[in-house]
Amino acid sequence: MAVPKRRTSKMKQKMRRGANRWRTPKLKTCPECESRVPSHIACPHCGTYRERQVLEVDAL
């Protein structure tokens, strides 16, 4: 069975655990309606994706 040769330093432990921290989702601005939308998602407000109309959205 494999056993570590040396003890992992506190700095290495913190660096490894720091990669798992929560980050805010990256949001882009919709070019049509200027609302904030996640990347690679059709805009739920106007229904556009990559300058094309892909969803039918009812006007409220």
Side-chain angles (χ1 to χ4, degrees):
M1 191 166 150
V3 177
K5 195 164 201 172
R6 303 219 184 272
R7 178 179 177 173
T8 307
S9 68
K10 291 178 184 176
M11 188 64 187
K12 283 290 182 185
Q13 290 174 357
K14 289 177 185 179
M15 285 174 61
R16 184 174 61 243
R17 291 184 183 130
N20 299 328
R21 71 182 182 275
W22 182 84
R23 293 180 179 97
T24 59
K26 302 283 191 258
L27 299 175
K28 65 182 184 83
T29 305
C30 176
E32 299 294 322
C33 64
E34 303 297 325
S35 63
R36 305 292 287 165
V37 182
S39 297
H40 309 290
I41 302 290
C43 178
H45 301 287
C46 62
T48 58
Y49 180 71
R50 288 191 168 204
E51 311 293 330
R52 290 185 331 212
Q53 188 69 28
V54 294
L55 295 175
E56 296 282 333
V57 180
D58 295 332
L60 295 176

